Each structure stands twice: as structure tokens, then as C-alpha cells.
Amino acid sequence: MTLYYEPEADRARALASVLGGQPHGAQDLAELAALVRADPDTQLVILGASVELAEAVAFAAQHRLARPSLGVVLLRDHVDVAVLAEALRSGIREVINATDADGIRGACARSLQVSHQLALGGSAPAVAGVKEGHLVTVFAGKGGCGKSTVATNLAVALADGGKSRVCLVALDLTFGDVANMLQLVPNLSLADAVPMARRLDETAVRSLVSPLAPGLYTLLAPPTPTDGERVGRELVSEILKIVKRMYDYVVVDTPPFFSDQVLAALDLSQWYILLATPDIPALKNLRLTLDMFDLLEYPTSQRIIVLNRSDAQVGLTHADIDRVVRAPIAGRVPSTRDVPVSINRGVPLMVDSPNNPVSRYIQEVRSRIVGQPAQAGDAPGPAHRRRAFTLRRGR
Ligand SMILES: Nc1ncnc2c1ncn2[C@@H]1O[C@H](COP(=O)(O)OP(=O)(O)OP(=O)(O)O)[C@@H](O)[C@H]1O
Ligand SMILES: [Mg+2]
């Protein structure tokens, strides 16, 4: 039996109709607790938006140990990080906006699934049997090689106008390039996950991502370097493991050095895009990066080495470059002023100019990751994508 408690009569009626079936409404929390006690088969309780947070938290905490298979879903008029942190700490499974009927039904279905697994003595389905998305980390050992440019455009390409779900994660915790490139103000960022460390789940992570375009979401870097320091390796691992379950692809932008957080991302990656520009310091850093990758035993078959701004006239021949890098270069991306122009406009090149040589190369990388070449005419036209993109920006 599904139980609910919502003190306001109108809202209680509305909630019952959203839930469907024959949910049983309690008059107060004492009656709710009594009903739970009386029926050991009860697996789901929904607490309405008018229930005081402290009461809801106390109810969940009380049942957490006594009845671990009982799922509590909490509705709120505003879901913010503080509420989520407190709710999740108490054992509430999901916090959903009270006006989001589909969200409420989805949360109830997920909670029942978890209860079912727990009743069978298994682990939660979030871990068992769930297909994971591919994680792609874009890295370069030297600054300014084009990591943020490639990561952002690759995320757009992988989302393919909404055909896939993609999360672009900005692990450049010091300067937050992705937010700058997309001209977003990070209202929410990775730093907001800090109070929820070790208790994060999909609901919590969902509250931190910003929608950008159909299928495309971002998890932004904190607005200041001081906030960035609070996001440690374990938290990054925890977040990325969850994000991988939620999206088809996760693209991670990184700072130009091996930090603990970067290593956490690399450890969870299926693909590594390694960038360099045609100058000796960048090429040497690429070689050092490859040596490090060998030591860490990241598979060579999953490394995609890209030479960005490859046409820069800097007196190095292809042979000179190959001699320093000593590994196959998968692609050479030309320099074009369209890249800085697109960054200044805050719209990725892939959105505005899918036929630009840089965009075309990014599509090649996407095809390799997706495992099949993109069909001509498959992707929505630039106008469609641009419109969708513009709708979500300017926040
Ligand atoms: N193919 C290209 N053609 C022209 N300009 C480019 C190209 N790729 C990148 N740039 C320019 O190079 C600069 C650095 O690019 P980007 O910020 O993507 O590098 P990054 O590796 O993320 O840098 P950082 O290490 O500082 O995070 C930007 O101004 C961008 O416009
Ligand atoms: Mg960058």
C-alpha cells in the first residue's frame, strides 16, 4: 500500500490524483506512523510539500533503521541544496518539486524498485544492472591547448540535438572555463555537492546540473578557486560515478595538470582525448602525459591524440612532431578565428557552424566514441540547434 500525508486538504486531493491507484492519505504523522507499523508490506510514503521539513526528516530518520525497505519521497515547493542535504542525510530517498507530476511518479516508481530489491535482499538497482554511460576526459599537460573548446564542442556533438543525454563536467576547478565559454553564471556548481559528500544520489546530482540545450547538461566548476579547493578527489569520484549512470555520455574538461581530481576522472574514463599544440613545450608535455598514462595502465586503444592549431607555422614538420610524441596522432585540427569568435559569443562552434573544419573534426571524434559514423542529414540543422541552445542560455 502507498501512503501519503499532506496537511492541506486541496493539495492532498491533488497529490492523490497525481499518485493514481488507491493511495491512502493519513490525517497526521502519528496516524501515518501507525499505518506503517500496521502493514509490513507498505513500501512507499509520500510526504507533501506542506509537511514541515523537520517533521519529515524526523519521520524518515525514525524509519530508516526500523524499516529500511520503506521508501520516503518528499515534496517541496522549492528544492534547494540545503533541503536536499538534510533530507538525504535522514534517509529520504528523493526530494521532488511538488508541481512536477511526472517527477513525482518517476520518484515513486524508482523508490518502489529500490524497496523491492531490498526486500529481496539484493542491493539497490542504482548499482545493479544499470547501464553506465561513457566518460570522456579531455586533457593536456600544458595550458591553452584547446581542452575547454574541444570538451564543450564534443559535448554538443554527442548530445546530437537531444538524441543522447550528455553531461559536460567542468573539472577545471580554478578558473571554470566552461562557464566562461558558455557565458553562464554558475548559480549551482560542484562546490554545492560538498555538504552532501558520501550521501549523494541521482536526485542530489540532478539538482546541481544546469540544462543547456536538448539532451545537454553541465555541472559547472565553482565560481572561485577557494570553492574549488573544497571539491576533493573522493567527491569527484562519487559525483562522476553517479553522473555516468544518469547520462549516455559524460565529457570532462580538466585543468592543465594532473590533480587528484583529474586522476579521479581518468580512473573512471572510457576515453581519453589528449591535446597538444605544435610547439615543443606542449609536445613534450604530451609525451610526459603518455608516459604517465602507460604507468597508470590506461589502455592505448582508448587514447585519442589530437594536435590542435596544427597548421600554425612554427617551423616544425610532421616528422619533427612524430619524433617528440612517439605515438599515433589521430587528428590535426586547424586554427581558425571562428573558435575565439564563437567563444566571445558564448555559443559553441558546433552549434553555429557544424561544417567548420574544427566542428567536422569534433564530429569525427564523436563518431569514434559513439562507434558508428554519423549519418549525413541525421543531425538537426544548425538553425534548429542554435535556437534550442539560445533558449536555455542567458541565465
Ligand atoms: N582550433 C583553434 N583555432 C583557433 N583558436 C583556438 C583553437 N582552439 C583553441 N583556440 C583558442 O585558444 C585559446 C585556448 O583554448 P581553450 O581555452 O579551449 O584551451 P584550454 O586548454 O582549455 O586552456 P586552459 O589550459 O587555460 O584551460 C582560446 O582563446 C581559444 O579560442
Ligand atoms: Mg580550459
Side-chain angles (χ1 to χ4, degrees), residues 80-154:
D80 62 33
V81 175
V83 169
L84 270 173
E86 200 171 339
L88 297 176
R89 259 197 299 272
S90 73
I92 287 173
R93 288 213 183 125
E94 301 218 18
V95 184
I96 304 287
N97 194 303
T99 57
D100 182 359
D102 285 343
I104 295 170
R105 284 189 285 262
C108 292
R110 284 189 295 275
S111 178
L112 284 170
Q113 211 183 351
V114 172
S115 298
H116 185 63
Q117 292 280 330
L118 292 173
L120 291 176
S123 57
V127 178
V130 170
K131 186 177 165 282
E132 286 205 336
H134 281 193
L135 196 147
V136 185
T137 298
V138 182
F139 183 73
K142 180 174 175 285
C145 291
K147 296 179 298 296
S148 303
T149 305
V150 168
T152 307
N153 283 286
L154 179 62

Side-chain angles (χ1 to χ4, degrees), residues 23 36 41 54-55 77 94 127 140 145 147 197 218 228 236 269 286 289 307 311 314:
V36 169
D41 290 335
E55 288 184 334
D77 289 321
E94 301 218 18
V127 178
C145 291
K147 296 179 298 296
T218 64
V236 169
S269 294
L286 171 59
T289 299
L307 195 66
D311 51 350
V314 288

Side-chain angles (χ1 to χ4, degrees), residues 39 61 65 86 155 168 255 258 315 350:
D39 180 3
L65 292 175
E86 200 171 339
L168 171 63
F258 280 107
M350 186 59 75

Side-chain angles (χ1 to χ4, degrees), residues 55-66 72 87 89-92:
E55 288 184 334
V57 161
F59 179 89
Q62 203 183 346
H63 288 84
R64 180 182 202 163
L65 292 175
V72 180
R89 259 197 299 272
S90 73
I92 287 173

